[in-house]
Amino acid sequence: MGNTTWEHVRLVDNKKAAKKRFELQIDGSVAFIEYMISKKDIMYLTHTEVPSALEGQGVGSTLVRKVLDHIRTTNYKMAPLCPFVAAYLKRHPELAEDLLAPGYSVG
């Protein structure tokens, strides 16, 4: 099941949740990345959660890629505070190009 692709699943920007978060709804479960936006248009990615039923299937990686694509279409810069997002960007530094807020790196 590790080869399953979730690219067809639509990313939802849920601003009504207790914390703002990007969501992927898959098979009745929700994987998400919580975020905050500063007054300087920096999007802080603070926490990623993938339900245990979806772990090991590439859902987290797909979620990060979709969120990065979304950020790329806005005028925001990104601060990867979440350890999962930071680890993903270390493996794929090219995806962080031009997105990192000043003072942040993936190295």
Side-chain angles (χ1 to χ4, degrees):
M1 278 187 117
N3 296 9
T4 305
T5 178
W6 304 106
E7 296 303 321
H8 67 283
V9 179
R10 187 173 64 91
L11 182 70
V12 174
D13 186 355
N14 185 347
K15 295 176 181 156
K16 295 178 183 172
K19 295 184 178 180
K20 293 179 183 170
R21 64 190 203 176
F22 293 106
E23 301 175 343
L24 290 183
Q25 298 179 9
I26 299 170
D27 297 337
S29 297
V30 179
F32 60 86
I33 294 179
E34 293 176 343
Y35 69 91
M36 298 180 301
I37 298 176
S38 77
K39 291 178 182 172
K40 295 183 179 182
D41 290 337
I42 296 172
M43 185 175 290
Y44 294 88
L45 303 179
T46 58
H47 177 71
T48 301
E49 197 164 305
V50 175
S52 57
L54 298 175
E55 287 179 359
Q57 300 178 43
V59 173
S61 296
T62 300
L63 178 58
V64 172
R65 280 194 310 275
K66 286 179 173 282
V67 168
L68 295 177
D69 288 345
H70 173 80
I71 293 170
R72 193 166 272 111
T73 65
T74 67
N75 290 324
Y76 295 118
K77 292 296 182 184
M78 167 198 56
L81 302 183
C82 168
F84 181 84
V85 174
Y88 183 85
L89 291 174
K90 281 184 182 180
R91 291 191 309 274
H92 305 282
E94 71 282 1
L95 297 179
E97 286 179 19
D98 302 326
L99 288 182
L100 290 172
Y104 289 87
S105 69
V106 295

XYZ file of all heavy atoms in Angstrom:
844
model
N 0.809 -1.209 0.000
C 0.000 0.000 0.000
C 0.845 1.263 0.000
O 0.330 2.340 -0.178
C -0.931 0.022 1.203
C -2.183 -0.789 1.011
S -3.294 -0.529 2.392
C -4.657 0.200 1.528
N 2.141 1.136 0.208
C 3.007 2.298 0.262
C 3.073 3.065 -1.041
O 3.527 4.188 -1.066
N 2.627 2.454 -2.133
C 2.700 3.100 -3.439
C 1.437 3.882 -3.777
O 1.345 4.476 -4.830
C 2.933 2.052 -4.534
C 4.262 1.360 -4.369
O 4.934 1.526 -3.366
N 4.649 0.575 -5.339
N 0.441 3.852 -2.899
C -0.810 4.545 -3.166
C -0.539 6.028 -3.367
O 0.208 6.634 -2.615
C -1.787 4.355 -1.994
O -1.941 2.967 -1.768
C -3.127 4.951 -2.305
N -1.166 6.594 -4.368
C -1.005 8.021 -4.603
C -2.277 8.744 -4.172
O -3.371 8.250 -4.383
C -0.689 8.326 -6.077
O -0.592 9.751 -6.220
C -1.730 7.817 -7.025
N -2.085 9.860 -3.531
C -3.206 10.643 -3.018
C -3.285 11.989 -3.724
O -3.932 12.904 -3.236
C -3.042 10.836 -1.515
C -2.910 9.543 -0.795
C -1.777 9.014 -0.259
C -3.934 8.573 -0.568
N -2.039 7.788 0.296
C -3.358 7.491 0.124
C -5.293 8.518 -0.873
C -4.078 6.372 0.515
C -6.015 7.400 -0.488
C -5.415 6.351 0.197
N -2.642 12.100 -4.871
C -2.613 13.383 -5.577
C -4.009 13.853 -5.979
O -4.238 15.039 -6.129
C -1.704 13.302 -6.806
C -0.243 13.044 -6.475
C 0.366 14.084 -5.544
O 0.063 15.278 -5.672
O 1.158 13.692 -4.676
N -4.938 12.923 -6.153
C -6.293 13.280 -6.575
C -7.130 13.879 -5.437
O -8.168 14.471 -5.672
C -7.016 12.045 -7.130
C -7.284 11.005 -6.084
N -6.289 10.160 -5.628
C -8.398 10.704 -5.383
C -6.802 9.363 -4.695
N -8.076 9.674 -4.528
N -6.663 13.751 -4.197
C -7.415 14.242 -3.049
C -7.213 15.745 -2.926
O -6.086 16.243 -2.963
C -6.973 13.532 -1.746
C -7.751 14.075 -0.557
C -7.163 12.032 -1.879
N -8.319 16.468 -2.793
C -8.278 17.928 -2.752
C -7.830 18.426 -1.382
O -8.319 17.982 -0.351
C -9.662 18.491 -3.077
C -9.701 20.000 -3.225
C -11.054 20.465 -3.718
N -12.125 20.185 -2.786
C -12.526 21.039 -1.836
N -11.940 22.200 -1.697
N -13.516 20.711 -1.029
N -6.900 19.373 -1.384
C -6.443 20.023 -0.161
C -7.500 21.026 0.277
O -7.974 21.833 -0.516
C -5.116 20.749 -0.412
C -4.496 21.431 0.803
C -3.979 20.385 1.789
C -3.372 22.349 0.366
N -7.884 20.968 1.556
C -8.873 21.883 2.111
C -8.186 22.790 3.119
O -7.466 22.301 3.998
C -10.016 21.092 2.800
C -10.985 22.030 3.501
C -10.735 20.212 1.801
N -8.392 24.092 2.997
C -7.871 25.057 3.962
C -9.000 25.308 4.962
O -9.924 26.068 4.695
C -7.459 26.341 3.255
C -6.778 27.334 4.194
O -6.713 27.070 5.415
O -6.336 28.381 3.698
N -8.936 24.632 6.098
C -9.990 24.711 7.108
C -9.646 25.800 8.115
O -8.879 25.590 9.030
C -10.156 23.357 7.806
C -11.324 23.349 8.767
O -11.882 24.388 9.107
N -11.699 22.168 9.198
N -10.252 26.960 7.913
C -10.000 28.087 8.804
C -10.976 28.082 9.979
O -10.880 28.896 10.870
C -10.107 29.394 8.034
C -9.029 29.521 6.983
C -9.178 30.757 6.152
C -8.066 30.791 5.122
N -8.380 31.560 3.976
N -11.937 27.151 9.962
C -12.953 27.100 11.009
C -12.594 26.139 12.135
O -13.248 26.109 13.158
C -14.301 26.696 10.411
C -14.842 27.721 9.435
C -16.145 27.269 8.839
C -16.619 28.282 7.799
N -17.779 27.798 7.063
N -11.559 25.333 11.945
C -11.131 24.404 12.992
C -10.607 25.207 14.184
O -10.338 26.405 14.061
C -10.050 23.462 12.465
N -10.465 24.557 15.325
C -9.944 25.245 16.515
C -8.618 25.923 16.190
O -8.350 27.032 16.627
C -9.774 24.254 17.653
N -7.790 25.247 15.405
C -6.564 25.832 14.877
C -6.673 25.762 13.361
O -7.193 24.796 12.822
C -5.344 25.045 15.348
C -5.137 25.101 16.845
C -3.867 24.379 17.228
C -3.643 24.492 18.709
N -2.418 23.813 19.118
N -6.175 26.787 12.686
C -6.208 26.758 11.221
C -5.398 25.572 10.742
O -4.320 25.285 11.265
C -5.638 28.054 10.658
C -6.491 29.250 10.960
C -5.867 30.506 10.413
C -6.718 31.693 10.793
N -6.076 32.953 10.506
N -5.910 24.883 9.728
C -5.178 23.723 9.242
C -5.558 23.382 7.812
O -6.656 23.656 7.356
C -5.384 22.525 10.160
C -6.806 22.029 10.229
C -6.958 21.014 11.342
N -8.110 20.141 11.100
C -8.430 19.130 11.856
N -7.705 18.828 12.918
N -9.472 18.381 11.583
N -4.587 22.786 7.123
C -4.802 22.223 5.799
C -5.150 20.759 5.999
O -4.494 20.064 6.776
C -3.540 22.342 4.943
C -3.190 23.759 4.596
C -2.132 24.387 5.222
C -3.910 24.458 3.643
C -1.791 25.692 4.914
C -3.583 25.763 3.319
C -2.524 26.381 3.952
N -6.157 20.291 5.277
C -6.637 18.929 5.479
C -6.710 18.142 4.178
O -7.017 18.694 3.123
C -8.052 18.941 6.077
C -8.168 19.646 7.384
C -9.599 19.748 7.898
O -10.552 19.566 7.103
O -9.763 20.012 9.098
N -6.446 16.842 4.295
C -6.750 15.872 3.259
C -7.730 14.887 3.890
O -7.416 14.282 4.920
C -5.504 15.111 2.800
C -4.457 15.857 2.002
C -3.332 14.897 1.588
C -5.049 16.511 0.770
N -8.904 14.750 3.298
C -9.903 13.817 3.810
C -9.845 12.554 2.964
O -10.110 12.586 1.762
C -11.275 14.464 3.775
C -11.320 15.697 4.658
C -12.652 16.417 4.645
O -13.622 15.929 4.104
N -12.684 17.585 5.265
N -9.465 11.443 3.619
C -9.242 10.176 2.919
C -9.932 9.053 3.682
O -9.647 8.848 4.870
C -7.731 9.871 2.793
C -7.030 10.974 1.994
C -7.503 8.509 2.149
C -5.523 10.887 2.011
N -10.794 8.334 2.999
C -11.439 7.145 3.579
C -12.031 7.413 4.960
O -11.880 6.614 5.879
C -10.448 5.975 3.658
C -9.962 5.536 2.278
O -10.676 5.800 1.290
O -8.877 4.951 2.206
N -12.688 8.548 5.129
C -13.339 8.870 6.384
C -12.402 9.393 7.466
O -12.831 9.649 8.589
N -11.123 9.532 7.161
C -10.143 10.066 8.109
C -9.612 11.398 7.592
O -9.726 11.696 6.407
C -8.977 9.093 8.285
O -9.422 7.876 8.826
N -9.021 12.179 8.492
C -8.479 13.482 8.102
C -7.023 13.584 8.532
O -6.707 13.461 9.713
C -9.288 14.638 8.732
C -8.696 15.981 8.333
C -10.749 14.572 8.324
N -6.149 13.797 7.559
C -4.741 14.113 7.827
C -4.639 15.636 7.728
O -5.317 16.252 6.901
C -3.842 13.451 6.799
N -3.805 16.250 8.577
C -3.764 17.709 8.538
C -2.409 18.263 8.957
O -1.623 17.597 9.624
C -4.865 18.312 9.418
C -4.777 17.944 10.877
C -3.996 18.678 11.752
C -5.494 16.872 11.369
C -3.921 18.350 13.097
C -5.434 16.528 12.716
C -4.648 17.271 13.580
N -2.192 19.514 8.526
C -1.062 20.326 8.974
C -1.657 21.605 9.554
O -2.370 22.327 8.855
C -0.093 20.684 7.828
C 0.594 19.435 7.301
C 0.941 21.706 8.304
C 1.554 19.682 6.144
N -1.368 21.862 10.828
C -1.826 23.094 11.459
C -0.855 24.218 11.112
O 0.344 23.985 10.937
C -1.889 22.926 12.975
C -2.960 21.952 13.403
C -2.982 21.691 14.894
O -1.983 21.988 15.597
O -4.005 21.170 15.376
N -1.399 25.435 11.038
C -0.550 26.578 10.703
C -1.028 27.844 11.398
O -2.164 27.930 11.866
C -0.504 26.794 9.186
C -1.810 27.268 8.580
C -2.082 28.623 8.440
C -2.760 26.364 8.116
C -3.266 29.068 7.879
C -3.946 26.795 7.541
C -4.199 28.145 7.434
O -5.369 28.583 6.884
N -0.125 28.810 11.451
C -0.420 30.163 11.912
C 0.190 31.112 10.884
O 1.196 30.775 10.261
C 0.212 30.427 13.279
C -0.284 29.530 14.385
S 0.494 29.878 15.988
C 2.219 29.610 15.638
N -0.411 32.278 10.741
C 0.128 33.277 9.815
C 0.466 34.531 10.609
O -0.365 35.045 11.354
C -0.874 33.605 8.692
C -1.148 32.345 7.870
C -0.342 34.729 7.815
C -2.194 32.521 6.799
N 1.692 35.008 10.424
C 2.132 36.216 11.133
C 1.705 37.454 10.355
O 1.293 37.378 9.190
C 3.650 36.211 11.285
O 4.257 36.561 10.059
N 1.844 38.597 11.003
C 1.518 39.869 10.355
C 2.479 40.172 9.213
O 2.200 41.017 8.377
C 1.538 41.002 11.381
C 0.401 40.904 12.371
C 0.465 42.007 13.400
C -0.681 41.817 14.388
N -0.578 42.728 15.523
N 3.616 39.457 9.185
C 4.601 39.657 8.111
C 4.430 38.628 7.000
O 5.349 38.380 6.225
C 6.019 39.585 8.687
C 6.313 40.706 9.655
C 7.732 40.644 10.150
C 7.995 41.796 11.100
N 9.367 41.802 11.580
N 3.240 38.036 6.910
C 2.924 37.053 5.862
C 3.847 35.839 5.879
O 4.250 35.334 4.838
C 2.908 37.699 4.471
C 1.714 38.625 4.298
O 0.710 38.444 5.012
O 1.776 39.513 3.437
N 4.179 35.385 7.076
C 4.932 34.142 7.221
C 3.968 33.078 7.726
O 3.260 33.298 8.711
C 6.112 34.301 8.197
C 7.109 35.316 7.634
C 6.791 32.944 8.445
C 8.213 35.690 8.597
N 3.914 31.972 7.017
C 3.065 30.858 7.422
C 3.909 29.873 8.217
O 4.845 29.281 7.688
C 2.440 30.177 6.199
C 1.449 29.091 6.590
S 0.595 28.377 5.171
C -0.445 29.733 4.661
N 3.582 29.737 9.477
C 4.280 28.811 10.364
C 3.544 27.476 10.332
O 2.388 27.400 10.753
C 4.320 29.354 11.794
C 5.153 30.597 11.919
C 4.605 31.859 11.715
C 6.504 30.513 12.234
C 5.381 33.001 11.821
C 7.288 31.652 12.342
C 6.719 32.886 12.130
O 7.493 34.024 12.232
N 4.201 26.455 9.805
C 3.619 25.108 9.784
C 4.014 24.461 11.106
O 5.180 24.178 11.350
C 4.151 24.324 8.588
C 3.900 24.986 7.225
C 4.489 24.148 6.107
C 2.426 25.250 6.994
N 3.034 24.249 11.989
C 3.338 23.917 13.381
C 3.169 22.446 13.745
O 3.830 21.970 14.662
C 2.470 24.753 14.328
O 1.090 24.503 14.044
C 2.767 26.239 14.159
N 2.279 21.735 13.076
C 2.011 20.356 13.499
C 1.379 19.578 12.345
O 0.490 20.092 11.669
C 1.065 20.356 14.699
C 0.661 19.000 15.166
N 1.533 18.141 15.802
C -0.523 18.349 15.084
C 0.889 17.018 16.094
N -0.353 17.116 15.673
N 1.843 18.355 12.153
C 1.267 17.459 11.141
C 0.734 16.232 11.852
O 1.368 15.709 12.753
C 2.340 17.018 10.119
O 2.871 18.182 9.485
C 1.752 16.105 9.051
N -0.432 15.795 11.412
C -1.004 14.583 11.985
C -1.627 13.738 10.883
O -2.406 14.235 10.072
C -2.053 14.932 13.033
C -2.383 13.784 13.941
C -3.101 14.244 15.189
O -2.580 15.124 15.896
O -4.193 13.703 15.431
N -1.242 12.454 10.867
C -1.803 11.488 9.927
C -2.426 10.373 10.768
O -1.745 9.790 11.607
C -0.725 10.912 8.982
C -1.295 9.822 8.090
C -0.114 12.027 8.132
N -3.721 10.086 10.573
C -4.352 9.016 11.344
C -3.610 7.688 11.166
O -3.090 7.394 10.085
C -5.764 8.927 10.756
C -6.001 10.268 10.143
C -4.657 10.727 9.654
N -3.564 6.900 12.227
C -2.799 5.643 12.188
C -3.247 4.734 11.046
O -2.427 4.030 10.461
C -2.889 4.918 13.528
O -4.237 4.678 13.870
N -4.529 4.781 10.681
C -5.021 3.939 9.583
C -4.400 4.320 8.241
O -4.393 3.523 7.305
C -6.547 4.032 9.489
N -3.865 5.536 8.139
C -3.291 6.027 6.878
C -1.767 6.092 6.897
O -1.151 6.435 5.889
C -3.852 7.412 6.556
C -5.360 7.505 6.339
C -5.783 8.958 6.163
C -5.799 6.666 5.147
N -1.152 5.777 8.030
C 0.303 5.864 8.134
C 0.989 4.903 7.170
O 0.472 3.826 6.886
C 0.749 5.567 9.564
C 0.441 6.690 10.525
C 0.875 6.374 11.947
O 1.402 5.270 12.202
O 0.678 7.241 12.816
N 2.153 5.314 6.679
C 2.951 4.458 5.807
C 2.442 4.349 4.386
O 2.903 3.506 3.623
N 1.500 5.209 4.012
C 0.914 5.157 2.672
C 1.230 6.403 1.844
O 0.653 6.610 0.786
C -0.607 4.981 2.765
C -1.027 3.720 3.485
C -2.530 3.609 3.586
O -3.253 3.881 2.627
N -3.028 3.214 4.738
N 2.110 7.253 2.345
C 2.482 8.455 1.594
C 1.542 9.625 1.787
O 1.672 10.641 1.117
N 0.598 9.500 2.712
C -0.367 10.580 2.935
C 0.330 11.831 3.466
O 0.086 12.942 2.993
C -1.490 10.127 3.893
C -2.396 11.297 4.272
C -2.301 9.009 3.258
N 1.214 11.668 4.448
C 1.915 12.817 5.015
C 2.756 13.551 3.983
O 2.731 14.777 3.911
N 3.470 12.805 3.161
C 4.296 13.417 2.112
C 3.432 14.150 1.097
O 3.770 15.262 0.666
C 5.126 12.341 1.408
O 6.036 11.761 2.309
N 2.312 13.543 0.709
C 1.405 14.195 -0.236
C 0.851 15.472 0.373
O 0.769 16.509 -0.296
C 0.249 13.246 -0.619
O 0.800 12.082 -1.228
C -0.726 13.915 -1.575
N 0.495 15.418 1.632
C -0.032 16.591 2.325
C 0.987 17.725 2.322
O 0.656 18.868 1.992
C -0.422 16.201 3.753
C -0.962 17.293 4.660
C -2.196 17.950 4.069
C -1.274 16.701 6.029
N 2.236 17.423 2.654
C 3.281 18.454 2.662
C 3.440 19.044 1.265
O 3.483 20.273 1.102
C 4.627 17.900 3.183
C 5.739 18.932 3.003
C 4.513 17.488 4.639
N 3.525 18.207 0.237
C 3.687 18.716 -1.142
C 2.531 19.625 -1.529
O 2.741 20.691 -2.125
C 3.795 17.562 -2.131
C 5.164 16.932 -2.202
C 5.338 16.034 -3.412
N 4.269 15.078 -3.581
C 4.189 13.886 -2.982
N 5.141 13.510 -2.144
N 3.182 13.078 -3.221
N 1.313 19.234 -1.212
C 0.145 20.049 -1.566
C 0.149 21.381 -0.816
O -0.197 22.424 -1.384
C -1.149 19.278 -1.294
C -1.415 18.179 -2.310
C -2.708 17.435 -1.979
C -3.076 16.451 -3.058
N -3.688 17.061 -4.230
N 0.547 21.361 0.457
C 0.623 22.606 1.220
C 1.704 23.515 0.634
O 1.497 24.717 0.481
C 0.855 22.327 2.716
C 1.229 23.595 3.465
C -0.393 21.686 3.333
N 2.854 22.954 0.273
C 3.914 23.763 -0.341
C 3.442 24.367 -1.657
O 3.726 25.535 -1.947
C 5.167 22.924 -0.548
C 5.861 22.428 0.724
C 7.041 21.541 0.359
C 6.278 23.565 1.628
N 2.720 23.590 -2.453
C 2.166 24.120 -3.708
C 1.213 25.283 -3.428
O 1.226 26.293 -4.134
C 1.441 23.026 -4.488
C 2.383 22.017 -5.112
O 3.602 22.281 -5.197
O 1.898 20.936 -5.517
N 0.399 25.121 -2.385
C -0.537 26.189 -2.019
C 0.230 27.451 -1.599
O -0.100 28.555 -2.034
C -1.454 25.719 -0.887
C -2.318 26.813 -0.355
N -3.467 27.216 -0.997
C -2.186 27.612 0.738
C -4.014 28.213 -0.316
N -3.253 28.454 0.744
N 1.230 27.281 -0.757
C 2.015 28.430 -0.293
C 2.682 29.120 -1.479
O 2.732 30.345 -1.550
C 3.059 27.997 0.758
C 2.350 27.522 2.030
C 4.024 29.141 1.069
C 3.272 26.852 3.029
N 3.148 28.327 -2.427
C 3.823 28.875 -3.607
C 2.879 29.782 -4.414
O 3.315 30.722 -5.062
C 4.348 27.722 -4.471
C 5.317 28.171 -5.548
C 6.068 26.998 -6.161
N 7.268 26.736 -5.372
C 7.462 25.663 -4.600
N 6.565 24.724 -4.535
N 8.578 25.513 -3.932
N 1.575 29.517 -4.373
C 0.611 30.320 -5.143
C 0.168 31.567 -4.391
O -0.602 32.354 -4.928
C -0.638 29.491 -5.515
O -1.340 29.145 -4.329
C -0.274 28.250 -6.300
N 0.642 31.733 -3.165
C 0.301 32.916 -2.370
C 1.544 33.781 -2.233
O 2.597 33.468 -2.777
C -0.167 32.494 -0.958
O 0.930 31.926 -0.251
C -1.325 31.497 -1.033
N 1.436 34.836 -1.488
C 2.601 35.695 -1.239
C 3.248 35.395 0.098
O 4.012 36.196 0.610
C 2.194 37.172 -1.294
C 1.863 37.602 -2.707
O 2.500 37.151 -3.659
N 0.867 38.448 -2.850
N 2.925 34.250 0.682
C 3.483 33.889 1.977
C 4.875 33.290 1.849
O 5.231 32.718 0.826
C 2.595 32.865 2.696
C 1.253 33.395 3.069
C 0.096 32.831 2.552
C 1.116 34.461 3.948
C -1.147 33.308 2.896
C -0.128 34.954 4.300
C -1.258 34.369 3.767
O -2.488 34.852 4.105
N 5.620 33.411 2.933
C 6.849 32.652 3.117
C 6.545 31.612 4.181
O 5.558 31.719 4.911
C 8.005 33.563 3.551
C 8.445 34.529 2.466
C 9.011 33.785 1.276
C 9.492 34.728 0.196
N 9.958 34.010 -0.986
N 7.376 30.593 4.301
C 7.082 29.474 5.176
C 8.159 29.301 6.229
O 9.344 29.467 5.960
C 6.982 28.214 4.327
C 6.982 26.943 5.120
S 7.391 25.499 4.125
C 8.959 25.925 3.440
N 7.700 28.933 7.435
C 8.601 28.569 8.527
C 8.216 27.148 8.955
O 7.154 26.950 9.545
C 8.461 29.541 9.681
N 9.043 26.156 8.615
C 8.704 24.756 8.911
C 9.028 24.382 10.362
O 10.070 23.811 10.649
C 9.565 23.974 7.920
C 10.766 24.847 7.717
C 10.272 26.267 7.842
N 8.140 24.710 11.286
C 8.365 24.410 12.697
C 8.045 22.957 13.033
O 8.585 22.408 13.985
C 7.514 25.335 13.580
C 7.746 26.831 13.396
C 6.885 27.612 14.384
C 9.209 27.190 13.558
N 7.186 22.342 12.272
C 6.804 20.948 12.500
C 7.961 20.015 12.129
O 8.517 20.127 11.031
C 5.583 20.625 11.655
S 5.199 18.871 11.566
N 8.340 19.103 13.020
C 9.447 18.185 12.723
C 9.218 17.332 11.468
O 10.167 17.070 10.730
C 9.534 17.300 13.970
C 8.913 18.103 15.055
C 7.851 18.938 14.393
N 7.981 16.925 11.201
C 7.704 16.113 10.013
C 7.950 16.929 8.742
O 8.596 16.457 7.803
C 6.261 15.581 10.027
C 5.944 14.717 8.839
C 6.270 13.369 8.846
C 5.331 15.241 7.710
C 5.995 12.567 7.754
C 5.052 14.444 6.608
C 5.391 13.103 6.629
N 7.455 18.156 8.721
C 7.656 19.030 7.556
C 9.145 19.319 7.372
O 9.669 19.241 6.261
C 6.853 20.334 7.686
C 7.182 21.296 6.545
C 5.359 20.045 7.724
N 9.836 19.632 8.464
C 11.276 19.923 8.374
C 12.046 18.722 7.840
O 12.920 18.866 6.976
C 11.800 20.337 9.742
N 11.724 17.519 8.317
C 12.410 16.309 7.844
C 12.119 16.068 6.368
O 13.014 15.688 5.605
C 11.969 15.105 8.673
N 10.888 16.307 5.939
C 10.529 16.137 4.531
C 11.340 17.105 3.668
O 11.870 16.725 2.619
C 9.024 16.360 4.331
C 8.596 16.126 2.911
C 8.288 14.851 2.461
C 8.521 17.178 2.004
C 7.920 14.629 1.143
C 8.154 16.967 0.694
C 7.850 15.690 0.272
O 7.495 15.468 -1.041
N 11.459 18.343 4.117
C 12.199 19.342 3.342
C 13.692 19.048 3.311
O 14.363 19.393 2.337
C 11.925 20.743 3.889
C 10.498 21.237 3.659
C 10.277 22.562 4.365
C 10.169 21.338 2.178
N 14.219 18.423 4.338
C 15.630 18.019 4.307
C 15.854 16.973 3.225
O 16.901 16.943 2.586
C 16.060 17.473 5.670
C 16.345 18.558 6.665
C 16.858 17.999 7.964
C 17.082 19.142 8.943
N 17.587 18.698 10.225
N 14.871 16.099 3.019
C 14.976 15.078 1.969
C 14.693 15.652 0.582
O 15.114 15.084 -0.422
C 14.007 13.924 2.253
C 14.380 13.078 3.458
C 13.558 11.795 3.561
N 12.126 11.987 3.474
C 11.319 12.276 4.506
N 11.824 12.439 5.708
N 10.020 12.412 4.312
N 13.947 16.755 0.523
C 13.547 17.369 -0.759
C 13.768 18.888 -0.700
O 12.812 19.658 -0.827
C 12.072 17.063 -1.055
C 11.742 15.616 -1.042
N 12.032 14.777 -2.092
C 11.161 14.846 -0.097
C 11.633 13.550 -1.794
N 11.107 13.560 -0.586
N 15.016 19.328 -0.532
C 15.271 20.768 -0.362
C 14.833 21.610 -1.554
O 14.524 22.795 -1.387
C 16.782 20.842 -0.140
C 17.329 19.559 -0.680
C 16.239 18.539 -0.516
N 14.775 21.023 -2.723
C 14.353 21.782 -3.906
C 12.917 22.281 -3.776
O 12.544 23.294 -4.380
C 14.517 20.929 -5.182
C 13.532 19.789 -5.333
C 13.830 18.538 -4.493
O 14.825 18.515 -3.736
O 13.052 17.574 -4.593
N 12.097 21.614 -2.979
C 10.708 22.029 -2.805
C 10.572 23.262 -1.919
O 9.528 23.909 -1.905
C 9.871 20.881 -2.221
C 9.767 19.639 -3.099
C 8.951 18.570 -2.402
C 9.167 19.978 -4.452
N 11.623 23.581 -1.177
C 11.587 24.740 -0.291
C 12.145 25.997 -0.948
O 12.069 27.081 -0.372
C 12.370 24.440 0.987
N 12.681 25.867 -2.149
C 13.281 27.013 -2.825
C 12.288 28.164 -2.923
O 11.135 27.966 -3.308
C 13.752 26.626 -4.236
C 15.001 25.774 -4.237
C 15.429 25.398 -5.639
O 14.992 26.059 -6.595
O 16.197 24.437 -5.762
N 12.746 29.341 -2.565
C 11.954 30.569 -2.637
C 10.760 30.603 -1.685
O 9.949 31.524 -1.753
C 11.469 30.852 -4.076
C 12.602 30.976 -5.054
O 13.674 31.484 -4.671
O 12.433 30.551 -6.217
N 10.603 29.602 -0.819
C 9.472 29.584 0.100
C 9.865 29.885 1.543
O 9.028 30.277 2.331
C 8.772 28.218 0.079
C 7.969 27.872 -1.154
C 7.318 26.502 -0.975
C 6.921 28.922 -1.438
N 11.123 29.667 1.898
C 11.538 29.786 3.283
C 11.554 31.243 3.755
O 12.035 32.126 3.052
C 12.914 29.165 3.508
C 12.958 27.642 3.422
C 14.394 27.172 3.464
C 12.145 27.024 4.542
N 11.021 31.439 4.958
C 11.056 32.763 5.571
C 12.503 33.095 5.931
O 13.321 32.209 6.138
C 10.175 32.764 6.812
N 12.837 34.384 6.015
C 14.196 34.779 6.408
C 14.586 34.129 7.730
O 13.790 34.088 8.672
C 14.091 36.300 6.542
C 12.937 36.678 5.666
C 11.979 35.532 5.753
N 15.791 33.597 7.769
C 16.296 32.973 8.982
C 16.016 31.482 9.099
O 16.472 30.840 10.037
N 15.283 30.924 8.166
C 14.970 29.493 8.189
C 15.710 28.778 7.072
O 15.913 29.332 5.991
C 13.459 29.244 8.044
C 12.706 29.656 9.265
C 12.265 30.956 9.411
C 12.466 28.747 10.291
C 11.580 31.358 10.557
C 11.783 29.138 11.430
C 11.342 30.440 11.548
O 10.681 30.829 12.676
N 16.114 27.547 7.349
C 16.793 26.745 6.336
C 16.348 25.298 6.506
O 15.725 24.939 7.495
C 18.316 26.849 6.473
O 18.724 26.188 7.661
N 16.697 24.471 5.525
C 16.370 23.050 5.614
C 17.619 22.216 5.780
O 17.558 20.999 5.754
C 15.551 22.572 4.384
C 14.207 23.250 4.353
C 16.310 22.785 3.098
N 18.754 22.873 5.971
C 20.020 22.175 6.090
C 20.298 21.563 7.428
O 19.672 21.615 8.389
